[in-house]
Coordinates of all heavy atoms in Angstrom, one line a residue:
M1 N 137.8 -71.7 150.4 CA 138.7 -72.3 149.6 C 140.0 -71.3 149.4 O 139.9 -70.2 149.1 CB 138.1 -72.4 148.1 CG 137.7 -73.9 147.7 SD 138.7 -75.2 147.9 CE 139.3 -75.5 146.2
A2 N 141.1 -71.9 149.8 CA 142.2 -71.0 149.6 C 142.7 -71.0 148.1 O 142.6 -71.9 147.4 CB 143.5 -71.6 150.5
A3 N 143.2 -69.8 147.9 CA 143.7 -69.6 146.5 C 145.1 -70.5 146.4 O 145.8 -70.6 147.3 CB 144.0 -68.2 146.2
R4 N 145.3 -71.2 145.1 CA 146.4 -71.9 145.1 C 147.4 -71.0 144.2 O 147.2 -70.3 143.3 CB 146.2 -73.1 144.2 CG 145.2 -74.0 144.8 CD 145.9 -74.9 145.9 NE 146.9 -75.9 145.5 CZ 147.6 -76.5 146.3 NH1 147.5 -76.3 147.7 NH2 148.2 -77.5 145.8
D5 N 148.7 -71.0 144.9 CA 149.8 -70.4 144.2 C 150.5 -71.4 143.3 O 151.1 -72.4 143.7 CB 150.8 -69.7 145.2 CG 151.9 -69.2 144.7 OD1 151.7 -68.5 143.5 OD2 153.1 -69.2 145.3
R6 N 150.5 -71.1 142.0 CA 151.2 -71.9 141.1 C 152.5 -71.3 140.5 O 152.6 -70.3 140.2 CB 150.4 -72.3 139.9 CG 149.1 -72.8 140.3 CD 148.1 -73.2 139.2 NE 146.8 -73.8 139.6 CZ 146.8 -75.0 140.0 NH1 147.8 -76.0 140.0 NH2 145.6 -75.5 140.6
F7 N 153.5 -72.2 140.4 CA 154.9 -71.8 139.9 C 155.6 -73.0 139.5 O 155.3 -74.1 139.6 CB 155.6 -71.1 141.2 CG 155.7 -72.1 142.4 CD1 156.9 -72.8 142.6 CD2 154.8 -72.3 143.4 CE1 157.1 -73.7 143.6 CE2 154.9 -73.2 144.5 CZ 156.1 -73.9 144.6
S8 N 156.6 -72.7 138.8 CA 157.5 -73.6 138.3 C 159.0 -73.5 138.9 O 159.3 -72.4 139.3 CB 157.7 -73.6 136.7 OG 158.2 -72.4 136.4
K9 N 159.6 -74.5 138.9 CA 161.0 -74.5 139.6 C 161.9 -75.4 138.9 O 161.6 -76.5 138.6 CB 160.9 -74.9 141.0 CG 162.2 -74.8 141.7 CD 162.1 -75.2 143.2 CE 163.4 -75.0 144.0 NZ 164.5 -75.8 143.5
K10 N 163.2 -74.9 138.7 CA 164.0 -75.8 137.9 C 164.7 -76.7 139.0 O 165.1 -76.2 140.0 CB 165.2 -74.8 137.4 CG 166.2 -75.7 136.5 CD 167.1 -74.8 135.8 CE 168.3 -74.3 136.7 NZ 169.3 -73.6 135.9
L11 N 164.6 -78.1 138.7 CA 165.2 -79.1 139.5 C 166.6 -79.5 138.8 O 166.5 -79.8 137.6 CB 164.3 -80.2 139.6 CG 162.9 -80.0 140.2 CD1 162.0 -81.2 140.3 CD2 163.0 -79.5 141.6
T12 N 167.7 -79.6 139.5 CA 168.8 -80.1 139.1 C 169.3 -81.1 139.9 O 169.4 -81.0 141.2 CB 169.9 -79.0 139.1 OG1 169.3 -77.7 138.3 CG2 171.2 -79.3 138.4
C13 N 169.7 -82.4 139.4 CA 170.1 -83.4 140.2 C 171.6 -83.2 140.6 O 172.5 -82.8 139.7 CB 170.1 -84.6 139.3 SG 170.8 -86.0 140.2
P14 N 171.9 -83.1 141.9 CA 173.3 -82.8 142.3 C 174.4 -84.0 141.9 O 175.5 -83.8 141.9 CB 173.2 -82.7 143.8 CG 172.0 -83.4 144.2 CD 171.1 -83.4 143.0
Q15 N 173.8 -85.1 141.4 CA 174.8 -86.2 141.1 C 175.0 -86.3 139.8 O 176.2 -86.4 139.3 CB 174.1 -87.5 141.7 CG 174.8 -88.7 141.5 CD 174.4 -89.9 142.3 OE1 174.7 -89.9 143.5 NE2 173.7 -90.9 141.7
C16 N 173.8 -86.3 138.9 CA 174.1 -86.4 137.4 C 174.0 -85.3 136.6 O 174.2 -85.3 135.4 CB 173.3 -87.6 136.8 SG 171.5 -87.3 136.8
G17 N 173.3 -84.2 137.2 CA 173.3 -83.0 136.5 C 172.0 -83.2 135.6 O 171.7 -82.0 134.9
N18 N 171.1 -83.9 135.7 CA 169.8 -84.0 135.1 C 169.0 -82.8 135.5 O 169.0 -82.4 136.7 CB 169.1 -85.3 135.5 CG 167.9 -85.4 134.7 OD1 167.6 -84.8 133.5 ND2 166.9 -86.2 135.2
M19 N 168.4 -82.0 134.6 CA 167.6 -80.8 134.9 C 166.3 -80.7 134.0 O 166.3 -81.3 133.0 CB 168.6 -79.7 134.4 CG 168.3 -78.3 134.9 SD 167.3 -77.5 133.6 CE 168.6 -77.0 132.5
G20 N 165.4 -80.1 134.8 CA 164.1 -79.9 134.2 C 163.2 -78.9 135.1 O 163.6 -78.8 136.2
F21 N 162.1 -78.6 134.6 CA 161.3 -77.7 135.3 C 160.0 -78.5 135.7 O 159.4 -79.0 134.9 CB 160.8 -76.5 134.3 CG 161.9 -75.5 134.1 CD1 162.8 -75.5 133.2 CD2 162.0 -74.4 135.1 CE1 163.9 -74.6 133.0 CE2 162.8 -73.4 134.9 CZ 163.9 -73.5 133.9
A22 N 159.8 -78.3 137.1 CA 158.5 -78.9 137.7 C 157.6 -77.8 137.7 O 158.0 -76.6 138.1 CB 159.0 -79.4 139.1
E23 N 156.3 -78.2 137.6 CA 155.3 -77.2 137.9 C 154.6 -77.6 139.2 O 154.3 -78.7 139.4 CB 154.2 -77.3 136.8 CG 154.8 -76.7 135.5 CD 153.8 -76.7 134.4 OE1 152.6 -76.9 134.6 OE2 154.3 -76.5 133.2
A24 N 154.5 -76.8 140.2 CA 154.0 -77.1 141.5 C 152.9 -76.0 141.9 O 152.9 -74.9 141.3 CB 155.2 -77.1 142.5
S25 N 152.3 -76.3 143.1 CA 151.3 -75.3 143.5 C 151.3 -75.6 145.2 O 151.6 -76.7 145.5 CB 149.9 -75.6 142.9 OG 149.6 -76.9 143.2
E26 N 150.8 -74.5 145.8 CA 150.6 -74.7 147.2 C 149.6 -73.5 147.5 O 149.4 -72.6 146.9 CB 151.9 -74.6 148.1 CG 152.5 -73.2 147.9 CD 153.8 -73.2 148.7 OE1 154.2 -74.2 149.3 OE2 154.5 -72.1 148.7
D27 N 149.0 -73.7 148.7 CA 148.1 -72.6 149.1 C 148.9 -71.2 149.2 O 150.0 -71.2 149.6 CB 147.5 -73.0 150.5 CG 146.4 -74.1 150.4 OD1 146.1 -74.5 149.1 OD2 146.0 -74.6 151.4
D28 N 148.0 -70.3 149.0 CA 148.6 -68.9 148.8 C 149.4 -68.4 149.9 O 150.5 -67.8 149.6 CB 147.4 -67.9 148.5 CG 147.9 -66.9 147.6 OD1 149.1 -66.9 147.0 OD2 147.0 -66.0 147.2
H29 N 149.1 -68.8 151.1 CA 149.9 -68.2 152.2 C 150.9 -69.3 152.8 O 150.6 -70.2 153.3 CB 149.0 -67.8 153.3 CG 147.9 -66.7 152.9 ND1 148.2 -65.4 152.8 CD2 146.7 -66.9 152.8 CE1 147.2 -64.9 152.4 NE2 146.2 -65.7 152.5
S30 N 152.2 -68.9 152.5 CA 153.2 -69.9 152.8 C 153.4 -69.9 154.2 O 154.1 -70.9 154.7 CB 154.5 -69.5 152.1 OG 154.9 -68.2 152.3
S31 N 152.9 -69.1 155.0 CA 153.1 -69.2 156.4 C 152.0 -70.2 157.1 O 152.2 -70.5 158.3 CB 152.9 -67.8 157.1 OG 151.5 -67.3 156.8
R32 N 151.1 -70.6 156.3 CA 150.2 -71.5 156.8 C 150.9 -72.9 157.3 O 151.9 -73.3 156.8 CB 149.3 -72.1 155.7 CG 148.1 -71.1 155.4 CD 147.6 -71.6 153.8 NE 146.4 -70.8 153.6 CZ 145.2 -71.2 154.1 NH1 145.0 -72.4 154.5 NH2 144.1 -70.5 153.8
P33 N 150.3 -73.5 158.4 CA 150.9 -74.7 159.0 C 150.8 -75.9 158.1 O 151.9 -76.7 157.9 CB 150.1 -74.9 160.2 CG 148.9 -74.2 159.9 CD 149.1 -73.0 159.1
H34 N 149.9 -75.8 157.0 CA 150.0 -76.9 156.0 C 149.7 -76.3 154.6 O 148.5 -76.1 154.3 CB 148.8 -77.8 156.3 CG 149.1 -78.6 157.7 ND1 150.2 -79.5 157.9 CD2 148.4 -78.4 158.9 CE1 150.0 -79.9 159.1 NE2 149.0 -79.3 159.8
P35 N 150.8 -76.0 153.9 CA 150.6 -75.2 152.7 C 150.0 -76.2 151.6 O 149.6 -75.7 150.5 CB 151.9 -74.7 152.3 CG 152.9 -75.6 153.2 CD 152.2 -76.1 154.4
A36 N 149.8 -77.4 151.9 CA 149.4 -78.3 150.8 C 150.2 -78.4 149.6 O 149.6 -78.3 148.5 CB 147.8 -78.1 150.7
F37 N 151.5 -78.4 149.8 CA 152.3 -78.4 148.6 C 152.0 -79.6 147.6 O 151.9 -80.6 148.2 CB 153.8 -78.2 149.1 CG 154.7 -78.4 147.9 CD1 154.9 -77.4 147.0 CD2 155.5 -79.6 147.7 CE1 155.8 -77.4 146.0 CE2 156.4 -79.6 146.6 CZ 156.5 -78.5 145.8
A38 N 152.1 -79.3 146.3 CA 151.9 -80.5 145.5 C 152.8 -80.2 144.3 O 152.8 -79.1 143.8 CB 150.5 -80.8 145.2
V39 N 153.4 -81.2 143.8 CA 154.1 -81.2 142.4 C 152.9 -81.5 141.4 O 152.5 -82.8 141.4 CB 155.3 -82.0 142.2 CG1 155.9 -82.0 140.9 CG2 156.2 -81.6 143.3
D40 N 152.6 -80.7 140.5 CA 151.6 -81.0 139.5 C 152.0 -81.7 138.3 O 151.4 -82.5 137.6 CB 150.8 -79.7 139.2 CG 150.2 -79.1 140.3 OD1 149.6 -79.9 141.1 OD2 150.2 -77.8 140.4
R41 N 153.4 -81.4 137.9 CA 154.0 -82.0 136.8 C 155.5 -82.1 137.0 O 156.1 -81.0 137.3 CB 153.8 -81.2 135.4 CG 154.0 -82.2 134.3 CD 153.6 -81.5 132.9 NE 154.7 -80.5 132.6 CZ 154.5 -79.6 131.7 NH1 153.5 -79.6 130.9 NH2 155.6 -78.9 131.4
M42 N 156.0 -83.4 137.0 CA 157.3 -83.5 137.3 C 158.1 -83.5 135.9 O 157.5 -84.1 135.0 CB 157.5 -85.1 137.8 CG 158.7 -85.2 138.7 SD 158.9 -84.1 140.2 CE 157.8 -85.0 141.3
P43 N 159.3 -83.0 135.9 CA 160.1 -82.9 134.6 C 160.4 -84.5 134.3 O 160.7 -85.3 135.3 CB 161.2 -82.1 134.9 CG 161.4 -82.1 136.3 CD 160.0 -82.2 136.8
R44 N 160.9 -84.6 133.0 CA 161.3 -86.0 132.7 C 162.6 -86.5 133.5 O 163.5 -85.6 133.5 CB 161.6 -85.9 131.1 CG 161.9 -87.3 130.5 CD 162.1 -87.3 129.1 NE 163.1 -86.3 128.8 CZ 163.4 -86.1 127.5 NH1 163.0 -86.5 126.5 NH2 164.6 -85.1 127.4
G45 N 162.5 -87.7 133.9 CA 163.7 -88.2 134.5 C 163.7 -88.0 136.1 O 164.4 -88.4 136.8
F46 N 162.5 -87.3 136.5 CA 162.5 -87.1 138.0 C 161.0 -87.7 138.4 O 160.1 -87.7 137.8 CB 162.5 -85.6 138.4 CG 163.8 -84.9 138.2 CD1 163.8 -84.2 137.0 CD2 164.8 -85.2 139.1 CE1 165.1 -83.4 136.8 CE2 166.0 -84.5 138.9 CZ 166.1 -83.7 137.8
F47 N 161.1 -88.3 139.6 CA 159.9 -88.9 140.1 C 159.7 -88.6 141.6 O 160.6 -88.3 142.4 CB 160.1 -90.5 140.1 CG 160.5 -91.0 138.7 CD1 161.9 -91.2 138.5 CD2 159.6 -91.2 137.8 CE1 162.3 -91.4 137.2 CE2 160.0 -91.6 136.5 CZ 161.4 -91.8 136.3
P48 N 158.3 -88.5 142.0 CA 158.1 -88.3 143.4 C 158.4 -89.5 144.3 O 158.0 -90.5 144.1 CB 156.7 -88.0 143.4 CG 156.2 -88.6 142.3 CD 157.2 -88.7 141.3
Q49 N 159.4 -89.2 145.3 CA 159.7 -90.4 146.1 C 158.9 -90.3 147.3 O 158.5 -91.4 147.9 CB 161.3 -90.1 146.5 CG 161.7 -91.1 147.4 CD 162.0 -92.5 147.0 OE1 162.1 -92.7 145.7 NE2 162.0 -93.5 147.9
R50 N 158.8 -89.1 147.9 CA 158.0 -89.0 149.1 C 157.2 -87.7 149.1 O 157.8 -86.7 149.3 CB 158.9 -89.1 150.4 CG 158.0 -89.5 151.6 CD 158.8 -89.4 152.9 NE 159.3 -88.1 153.2 CZ 160.4 -87.7 153.9 NH1 161.1 -88.7 154.6 NH2 160.7 -86.6 154.3
A51 N 155.9 -87.8 149.1 CA 155.1 -86.5 149.0 C 155.1 -85.9 150.4 O 155.2 -86.4 151.3 CB 153.7 -86.7 148.6
S52 N 155.0 -84.5 150.3 CA 154.8 -83.8 151.6 C 154.0 -82.5 151.4 O 154.0 -81.9 150.3 CB 156.3 -83.4 152.2 OG 156.3 -82.5 153.2
N53 N 153.6 -82.0 152.5 CA 152.9 -80.7 152.6 C 154.0 -79.5 152.3 O 153.5 -78.4 152.0 CB 152.3 -80.4 153.9 CG 150.8 -80.9 153.9 OD1 150.1 -81.0 152.8 ND2 150.4 -81.3 155.0
F54 N 155.2 -79.8 152.5 CA 156.2 -78.8 152.5 C 157.2 -79.0 151.3 O 157.7 -80.1 151.1 CB 156.9 -78.7 153.8 CG 155.9 -78.4 154.9 CD1 155.4 -79.5 155.6 CD2 155.4 -77.1 155.2 CE1 154.5 -79.3 156.7 CE2 154.6 -76.8 156.2 CZ 154.0 -78.0 157.0
Q55 N 157.6 -78.0 150.7 CA 158.8 -78.0 149.6 C 160.0 -78.6 150.2 O 160.6 -79.3 149.5 CB 158.9 -76.7 149.1 CG 157.7 -76.1 148.4 CD 158.1 -74.8 147.7 OE1 159.1 -74.6 147.1 NE2 157.2 -73.8 147.9
E56 N 160.3 -78.4 151.4 CA 161.5 -78.8 151.9 C 161.6 -80.2 152.3 O 162.8 -80.8 152.5 CB 161.9 -77.8 153.2 CG 162.3 -76.4 152.9 CD 160.9 -75.6 152.7 OE1 159.8 -76.2 153.0 OE2 161.1 -74.4 152.4
T57 N 160.5 -80.8 152.5 CA 160.5 -82.2 152.8 C 159.9 -83.1 151.8 O 159.7 -84.4 152.0 CB 159.9 -82.5 154.1 OG1 158.5 -81.8 154.3 CG2 160.6 -81.9 155.4
Y58 N 159.6 -82.5 150.6 CA 159.1 -83.3 149.6 C 160.2 -83.9 148.8 O 161.2 -83.1 148.3 CB 158.2 -82.3 148.6 CG 157.5 -83.1 147.5 CD1 156.0 -83.2 147.5 CD2 158.0 -83.7 146.4 CE1 155.3 -83.8 146.6 CE2 157.4 -84.4 145.5 CZ 156.0 -84.4 145.5 OH 155.3 -85.1 144.6
I59 N 160.3 -85.2 148.8 CA 161.5 -85.7 148.2 C 161.3 -86.2 146.7 O 160.4 -87.0 146.5 CB 162.0 -86.9 149.1 CG1 162.2 -86.6 150.6 CG2 163.3 -87.6 148.5 CD1 163.3 -85.4 150.9
I60 N 162.3 -85.8 146.0 CA 162.4 -86.2 144.5 C 163.4 -87.2 144.4 O 164.4 -87.2 145.1 CB 162.9 -84.9 143.7 CG1 161.9 -83.6 144.1 CG2 162.8 -85.2 142.1 CD1 160.6 -83.7 143.5
R61 N 163.2 -88.1 143.4 CA 164.1 -89.1 143.1 C 164.4 -88.9 141.6 O 163.4 -88.8 140.7 CB 163.6 -90.5 143.3 CG 164.5 -91.6 142.8 CD 164.2 -93.0 143.3 NE 162.8 -93.3 142.9 CZ 162.6 -93.8 141.7 NH1 163.4 -94.0 140.7 NH2 161.4 -94.0 141.3
C62 N 165.7 -88.9 141.3 CA 166.2 -88.7 139.9 C 166.4 -90.1 139.3 O 166.5 -91.1 140.1 CB 167.5 -87.9 139.9 SG 168.3 -87.8 138.3
E63 N 166.3 -90.2 138.1 CA 166.4 -91.6 137.4 C 167.8 -92.2 137.6 O 167.9 -93.3 137.5 CB 166.2 -91.4 135.8 CG 167.2 -90.4 135.2 CD 166.8 -90.2 133.8 OE1 165.8 -90.8 133.2 OE2 167.6 -89.3 133.1
C64 N 168.8 -91.3 138.1 CA 170.1 -91.9 138.6 C 170.0 -92.6 139.8 O 170.9 -93.3 140.3 CB 171.1 -90.9 138.3 SG 171.1 -89.8 139.7
G65 N 169.0 -92.4 140.6 CA 168.7 -92.9 142.0 C 169.0 -92.0 143.1 O 168.6 -92.2 144.2
R66 N 169.5 -90.8 142.7 CA 169.7 -89.8 143.8 C 168.5 -89.2 144.3 O 167.6 -88.9 143.4 CB 170.7 -88.7 143.1 CG 170.8 -87.4 144.1 CD 171.8 -87.9 145.1 NE 172.1 -86.8 146.1 CZ 173.3 -86.2 146.3 NH1 174.4 -86.8 145.8 NH2 173.7 -85.2 147.1
K67 N 168.3 -89.0 145.6 CA 167.1 -88.4 146.2 C 167.5 -87.1 146.8 O 168.5 -86.9 147.4 CB 166.5 -89.3 147.3 CG 166.0 -90.7 146.7 CD 165.9 -91.7 147.8 CE 165.6 -93.1 147.2 NZ 165.6 -94.2 148.2
F68 N 166.6 -86.1 146.6 CA 166.9 -84.8 147.3 C 165.6 -84.1 147.3 O 164.5 -84.3 146.7 CB 167.9 -84.0 146.3 CG 167.4 -83.8 144.8 CD1 166.9 -82.7 144.5 CD2 167.5 -84.7 143.9 CE1 166.3 -82.5 143.3 CE2 167.1 -84.6 142.6 CZ 166.5 -83.4 142.2
P69 N 165.6 -83.1 148.3 CA 164.2 -82.4 148.5 C 164.0 -81.5 147.4 O 164.9 -80.8 146.7 CB 164.6 -81.6 149.9 CG 166.1 -81.5 149.9 CD 166.6 -82.6 149.1
F70 N 162.7 -81.1 147.2 CA 162.2 -80.3 146.1 C 163.0 -78.8 146.5 O 163.4 -78.3 145.5 CB 160.8 -80.0 146.2 CG 160.2 -79.2 145.2 CD1 159.9 -79.6 144.0 CD2 160.0 -77.9 145.4 CE1 159.4 -78.9 142.9 CE2 159.3 -77.1 144.4 CZ 159.1 -77.5 143.0
R71 N 163.0 -78.3 147.5 CA 163.8 -77.1 147.7 C 164.7 -77.3 149.1 O 164.1 -77.8 150.1 CB 162.8 -76.1 148.1 CG 163.4 -74.7 148.2 CD 162.4 -73.7 148.8 NE 161.4 -73.4 147.6 CZ 161.5 -72.6 146.6 NH1 162.6 -72.0 146.4 NH2 160.6 -72.5 145.7
S72 N 165.8 -77.1 149.0 CA 166.8 -77.1 150.0 C 166.5 -76.1 151.1 O 165.9 -75.0 150.8 CB 168.3 -77.1 149.5 OG 168.5 -75.9 149.1
R73 N 166.8 -76.4 152.3 CA 166.5 -75.4 153.4 C 167.3 -74.1 153.2 O 166.9 -73.0 153.7 CB 166.7 -76.1 154.8 CG 165.8 -77.2 155.1 CD 166.0 -77.8 156.4 NE 165.2 -79.1 156.4 CZ 163.9 -79.1 156.8 NH1 163.3 -78.0 157.0 NH2 163.3 -80.3 156.8
S74 N 168.6 -74.3 152.6 CA 169.4 -73.1 152.5 C 169.0 -72.2 151.4 O 169.6 -71.2 151.1 CB 170.8 -73.6 152.4 OG 171.0 -74.5 151.2
E75 N 168.1 -72.8 150.5 CA 167.8 -72.0 149.3 C 166.9 -70.8 149.6 O 166.0 -70.9 150.3 CB 167.2 -73.0 148.4 CG 167.1 -72.6 146.8 CD 166.5 -73.8 146.0 OE1 166.6 -74.8 146.5 OE2 166.2 -73.5 144.9
A76 N 167.1 -69.7 148.9 CA 166.3 -68.5 149.1 C 164.9 -68.8 148.6 O 164.8 -69.6 147.4 CB 166.9 -67.3 148.5
Q77 N 163.8 -68.3 149.1 CA 162.4 -68.5 148.6 C 162.4 -67.7 147.4 O 162.4 -66.4 147.4 CB 161.5 -68.1 149.6 CG 161.5 -68.9 150.9 CD 160.7 -70.3 150.5 OE1 159.7 -70.2 149.7 NE2 161.2 -71.3 151.2
N78 N 162.2 -68.2 146.3 CA 162.0 -67.7 144.9 C 163.0 -66.5 144.8 O 162.6 -65.5 144.5 CB 160.7 -67.0 144.9 CG 159.6 -68.1 144.8 OD1 159.6 -69.2 144.2 ND2 158.3 -67.8 145.4
Ligands
ZN101 ZN1 170.4 -87.8 138.7

C-alpha cells in the first residue's frame, strides 16, 4: 500500500474570482506513472468535471461554468 500524501490547495476561478480550498490526496511519490490523484473535498461552488490521475488534467468546473485544471502546468509544485 502506498502512503497517501494529503494536501489542500486554493482554487481560484479565472473568470468570476470564486475561491476556496480543496482537499486532495495522491500517492506519496509524485514521480509515479499513476499518482492516483483524487480530490477528497471540493470547495463550495466548484465541481469535478473530469477526474484524472493527475492534477494537471483533473478538470474543475466553477458554478459560473468556467472549466480549468486543478493545477496549471506552469504552476510551481507547492
Ligand atoms: Zn467562476
Side-chain angles (χ1 to χ4, degrees):
M1 262 309 258
R4 296 287 285 174
D5 179 29
R6 298 183 183 282
F7 58 96
S8 62
K9 182 181 186 299
K10 187 170 82 172
L11 299 178
T12 305
C13 174
Q15 182 164 280
C16 73
N18 186 24
M19 186 267 281
F21 283 89
E23 292 182 12
S25 59
E26 63 184 3
D27 286 349
D28 213 2
H29 301 287
S30 55
S31 59
R32 281 164 170 270
H34 300 291
F37 173 71
V39 177
D40 300 317
R41 202 177 72 191
M42 202 63 86
R44 190 175 54 179
F46 293 104
F47 309 92
Q49 173 72 21
R50 195 184 69 199
S52 167
N53 271 328
F54 302 95
Q55 299 183 40
E56 292 81 3
T57 50
Y58 192 109
I59 304 301
I60 306 287
R61 178 170 54 85
C62 176
E63 59 189 353
C64 75
R66 177 71 179 240
K67 297 165 191 166
F68 59 96
F70 183 85
R71 183 185 298 278
S72 68
R73 293 176 193 280
S74 59
E75 198 172 341
Q77 291 287 324
N78 293 323

